[in-house]
Amino acid sequence: MGKIIALANQKGGVGKTTTTINLGASLATMNKKVLIADADPQANASSGLGVNIKELKKSIYECIIENVAPEEAILSTETANLDIIPSHIDLVGAEIEMLNLKNREKVLKRLLNKIKDKYDYILIDCSPSLGLIVVNALTAADSVIIPVQCEYFALEGISKLLNTIKIIKSKLNPTLEIEGFLMTMYDTRLRLANQIYDEVKKHFGKMVFNTIIQRNIKLGEAPSYGKPVLFYDADSKGAFNYLQLAKELIEKNK
């Protein structure tokens, strides 16, 4: 039975999609069977893995709204062991369309439970919001990874997310755990980055991953080539960091 992990933070630009793509690819190279569920209408995880959004026949939108079987929407990527349910801009309207659905917070859970045993890990890339799709992702997930940018406003908004997680735990998903806080975009030259890291560590202790994702140009370039950084520049700091994170996650879940 696979583990479903949502990557969530309602703050944009903290490295959710970058982490989803590169953690997924790193786990796949370690012989784990991985599915990425792109639950963000921007569909960056899909295009970052080489999916041509314009030619999509089925996406996560059709699965949620039209009850299409998830198997029909799953695409293989160029990375062995790594599949994706792609997203589409149509997903923007899904939240309104879902309002009339029965148990609307559990649509994604029902969907992913059908294929959960085919994968070791299912990673859900969430949009930077706390809307109904993100609530669905957190209801479907076993745990959540919270990427936190090593910048001044890093902790702003985390309390809101933690409050949402608390509500979901009490009402919809009692077994939801925080897998860990992941420090991203870490610049070793900045004193502030060290201060932010210390502050997050002080607040959340062992819940913070030991792996830190350093600021890295290659991480930013790789998606435009439709590749995880590991296959764009295997020697880059970004590739090394995400392999470390994958190892840490596997160790944690033994």
Side-chain angles (χ1 to χ4, degrees):
M1 186 67 100
K3 182 167 197 180
I4 301 177
I5 302 175
L7 287 97
N9 188 333
Q10 76 273 27
K11 197 171 182 299
V14 297
K16 283 188 295 290
T17 302
T18 301
T19 298
T20 306
I21 291 172
N22 292 297
L23 174 59
S26 298
L27 287 165
T29 60
M30 293 171 184
N31 287 325
K32 299 294 177 191
K33 193 100 178 67
V34 183
L35 174 72
I36 287 173
D38 189 351
D40 184 350
Q42 293 177 71
N44 291 338
S46 304
S47 55
L49 282 168
V51 175
N52 186 339
I53 310 297
K54 294 190 180 100
E55 288 179 3
L56 274 184
K57 300 266 192 299
K58 305 265 168 64
S59 70
I60 201 163
Y61 171 82
E62 281 79 13
C63 295
I64 289 172
I65 301 301
E66 294 169 15
N67 227 351
V68 164
E71 290 89 346
E72 290 184 44
I74 292 172
L75 299 175
S76 303
T77 70
E78 285 178 22
T79 305
N81 292 325
L82 182 62
D83 294 343
I84 184 165
I85 298 180
S87 186
H88 192 273
I89 191 68
D90 289 352
L91 197 60
V92 166
E95 302 219 339
I96 296 161
E97 294 176 67
M98 286 167 81
L99 290 176
N100 300 322
L101 296 179
K102 201 176 166 211
N103 286 332
R104 57 179 182 254
E105 299 88 359
K106 296 186 177 176
V107 179
L108 198 56
K109 185 184 178 76
R110 286 197 299 273
L111 190 80
L112 294 177
N113 276 351
K114 292 175 186 172
I115 49 173
K116 195 175 179 180
D117 57 355
K118 292 180 181 170
Y119 294 94
D120 296 306
Y121 292 96
I122 296 177
L123 305 179
I124 310 173
D125 187 28
C126 297
S127 63
S129 75
L130 288 177
L132 186 53
I133 301 273
V134 175
V135 168
N136 260 268
L138 294 172
T139 303
D142 298 303
S143 66
V144 54
I145 289 176
I146 303 169
V148 180
Q149 197 175 354
C150 291
E151 288 192 352
Y152 187 65
F153 293 114
L155 292 173
E156 203 180 72
I158 281 189
S159 58
K160 219 183 248 176
L161 176 63
L162 293 178
N163 199 36
T164 303
I165 290 170
K166 202 167 146 191
I167 292 165
I168 284 168
K169 259 184 91 102
S170 67
K171 293 189 168 25
L172 295 162
N173 185 3
T175 57
L176 181 64
E177 299 291 338
I178 291 173
E179 191 72 46
F181 292 85
L182 175 68
M183 305 306 293
T184 62
M185 301 179 199
Y186 183 82
D187 192 333
T188 44
R189 298 164 303 177
L190 298 180
R191 240 179 63 214
L192 178 68
N194 293 311
Q195 286 168 355
I196 301 288
Y197 177 76
D198 292 343
E199 202 176 327
V200 174
K201 199 80 176 141
K202 195 172 79 189
H203 272 280
F204 302 111
K206 283 184 178 163
M207 289 164 90
V208 182
F209 282 104
N210 294 324
T211 305
I212 294 171
I213 309 300
Q214 288 165 281
R215 202 173 269 288
N216 180 243
I217 290 166
K218 301 293 181 190
L219 276 176
E221 289 174 356
S224 60
Y225 293 88
K227 292 178 177 186
V229 72
L230 201 56
F231 300 104
Y232 174 65
D233 185 346
D235 296 326
S236 66
K237 218 172 255 175
F240 176 75
N241 288 162
Y242 278 109
L243 282 169
Q244 285 297 110
L245 179 63
K247 278 181 195 153
E248 190 176 345
L249 185 67
I250 290 167
E251 263 315 299
K252 226 176 162 188
N253 285 286
K254 268 186 176 167

